[in-house]
Amino acid sequence: MPVPNDTNPKLAAYAHPQSLVTTEWLAEHLGDPGLVVVESDEDVLLYETGHIPGSVKVDWHTELNDPVTRDYVDGPRFAEICSERGISRDSTVVFYGDKNNWWATYALWVFSLFGHRDVRILDGGRTKWVAEDREMTREASTPTPAEYPVVERDDTRIRAFRDDVLNHIGRPMVDVRSPGEYTGELLHMPDYPQEGAVRGGHIPGAASVPWARAAAEDGTFKSREELEAIYQGEQGLNPSDPVVAYCRIGERSSHTWFVLTHLLGFGNVRNYDGSWTEWGNSVRVPIATGPER
Amino acid sequence: MSELPPKLAELVDEFAQVGVKDRLQLLLELSEELPPLPARYDGHRDEMEQVHECQTPLFLAVEVDDAERVHLFFDAPPEAPTTRGFASIMYNGLDGESAHTVLAVPNDFYTALGLGQAVSPLRLRGMVAMLSRIKNQVRDGIRDGS
């Protein structure tokens, strides 16, 4: 039996309302057959300190990345990750996490590379769930392993590589990092570790639209109208435009990728996961510094 | 690792003896044992140093007493258990040691904890920074006191 969509009116206004659920909806549907809740955090231990009952953990650094090559895991490993967590190909997977759902949207994006169809984000993430004093547990979840087929990852539709980005210069590109990183003053997020880019600045032609502009005070996504005003109004992007989004390692740009693709219905948005840690270290790629294009 | 102070060496051994999953569990337990700030620092972040290299804000204060013993104070939010765990390793391993001993801890001691695989190397950078900032403050503390 398919898991129903959340019919909340705020969500109904988005291009793909089925891609989000509210905390109320999740509280009501926890335990529904066919639903798996996945927590994905920046902090690798946060899940262990308490999580939504029955949820499972997927860690980006240690699980979704290939341990040797800078790339995501392959089809066989992805199938193992899913089946161990009780996820089958037709499961509804709801992702939530810390830090405004950065890693949750990242995990959702990786699941999308493998073509997992029913993926959703908990609007407001872990912070909202906790702020509403909803149930958390430290009890380990014991999912029944599921069958997950080995699916080849499709890197052509929603993922951009360095050479794709080089060819894309001149077309719409969104740099979602902080203003200081964009201008080249900073090589990393304020208050975050320096991740070793030897040059600062942005990809020529990229517009600066920090990811946080899409987030409301409580960590939920802004309304469709507000989002349209930013991306379509102010930035002049069109839902039919091919757009590349990037940040530092691809996590904040997953948030923007989700906004453009699922909330505003853009049909051709690619996340450049190499992002600044690749571009800022690449020999002879063009870089622009200073404010705005 | 003969140059490590005994409590830190003991911690390193504990980590080294268990598998990857249990190392995370150990780090979680340590994160819960990090003592709260004493009143003189509580609410006084301006008197502490921020460790910017950690993924989540971590504040640190180091005191060197008249006997040149080092005392460490950390402040990190409960939503940052990994950072708290790293701080707790420093606290449990180094608090109360002599300034000389703390300065002699090899900067790469953390590699022996075997956490690279458990938490990812990227996340370990905060630990390196924490130790180097502790050492800087210890050096300043000795200078001020002499």
Side-chain angles (χ1 to χ4, degrees), chain B residues 78-95:
Chain B
E79 312 82 67
T82 303
T83 299
R84 290 179 62 87
F86 293 165
S88 188
I89 290 174
M90 299 294 168
Y91 177 79
N92 282 292
L94 299 177
D95 188 73

Side-chain angles (χ1 to χ4, degrees), chain B residues 59-90:
Chain B
F59 291 83
L60 158 76
V62 181
E63 292 176 2
V64 182
D65 66 19
D66 295 342
E68 294 215 337
R69 299 259 153 212
V70 173
H71 303 282
L72 301 172
F73 307 92
F74 296 97
D75 187 21
E79 312 82 67
T82 303
T83 299
R84 290 179 62 87
F86 293 165
S88 188
I89 290 174
M90 299 294 168

Side-chain angles (χ1 to χ4, degrees), chain A residues 60 120 137:
Chain A
W60 173 72
R120 311 181 189 183
T137 181

Side-chain angles (χ1 to χ4, degrees), chain B residues 101-121:
Chain B
T101 306
V102 172
L103 291 175
V105 172
N107 290 336
D108 63 353
F109 88 92
Y110 70 93
T111 54
L113 294 167
L115 281 168
Q117 207 187 337
V119 310
S120 96

Side-chain angles (χ1 to χ4, degrees), chain A residues 5-244:
Chain A
N5 293 334
D6 186 345
T7 54
N8 179 291
K10 178 206 165 194
L11 308 189
Y14 293 127
H16 305 162
Q18 70 277 17
S19 302
L20 275 180
V21 300
T22 56
T23 49
E24 292 79 20
W25 182 94
L26 187 58
E28 214 172 287
H29 288 272
L30 277 182
D32 274 12
L35 172 68
V36 181
V37 182
V38 171
E39 175 159 347
S40 219
D41 294 317
E42 175 169 289
D43 194 299
V44 67
L45 281 176
L46 191 54
Y47 170 88
E48 280 78 5
T49 67
H51 51 263
I52 295 180
S55 65
V56 293
K57 167 185 172 181
V58 172
D59 185 67
W60 173 72
H61 282 283
T62 60
E63 288 167 335
L64 292 180
N65 273 316
D66 183 274
V68 180
T69 309
R70 181 172 176 183
D71 200 357
Y72 302 104
V73 291
D74 59 11
R77 180 62 197 133
F78 183 73
E80 276 171 27
I81 289 171
C82 289
S83 75
E84 283 165 7
R85 287 162 181 73
I87 300 170
S88 56
R89 191 67 173 160
D90 54 4
S91 295
T92 297
V93 185
V94 172
F95 296 89
Y96 76 100
D98 62 357
K99 304 273 171 181
N100 286 286
N101 277 329
W102 286 352
W103 306 95
T105 50
Y106 206 157
L108 180 146
W109 176 75
V110 173
F111 270 63
S112 303
L113 290 174
F114 288 99
H116 193 96
R117 224 178 33 254
D118 192 352
V119 286
R120 311 181 189 183
I121 290 287
L122 174 65
D123 200 17
R126 184 181 164 103
T127 312
K128 187 158 192 278
W129 184 272
V130 171
E132 290 169 350
D133 221 10
R134 295 184 186 275
E135 195 184 350
M136 295 289 268
T137 181
R138 293 183 68 137
E139 204 175 306
S141 302
T142 48
T144 311
E147 286 285 321
Y148 201 94
V150 172
V151 182
E152 206 184 325
R153 208 178 60 224
D154 178 0
D155 290 333
T156 60
R157 286 181 314 109
I158 59 172
R159 185 179 186 192
F161 295 96
R162 197 194 75 150
D163 289 351
D164 302 328
V165 177
L166 268 173
N167 291 327
H168 191 84
I169 289 177
R171 286 188 285 168
M173 211 171 326
V174 181
D175 182 321
V176 316
R177 297 172 303 159
S178 58
E181 293 171 274
Y182 177 87
T183 58
E185 261 168 82
L186 288 175
L187 285 170
H188 53 98
M189 269 187 271
D191 300 339
Y192 263 67
Q194 153 66 276
E195 275 168 349
V198 296
R199 287 288 186 271
H202 55 270
I203 302 174
S208 171
V209 192
W211 69 272
R213 294 191 60 196
E217 200 71 0
D218 62 356
T220 57
F221 291 102
K222 285 184 179 163
S223 70
R224 173 140 195 197
E225 203 177 315
E226 291 168 303
L227 294 174
E228 278 179 354
I230 297 167
Y231 296 96
Q232 284 149 265
E234 174 198 306
Q235 296 297 327
L237 296 173
N238 192 301
S240 61
D241 286 342
V243 181
V244 167

Side-chain angles (χ1 to χ4, degrees), chain B residues 10-30:
Chain B
E10 207 177 295
L11 270 176
V12 166
D13 279 349
E14 273 183 60
F15 273 97
Q17 277 163 14
V18 298
V20 171
K21 271 212 158 153
D22 288 335
R23 278 178 211 154
L24 273 185
Q25 186 57 36
L26 203 51
L27 192 63
L28 180 65
E29 285 163 18
L30 281 163

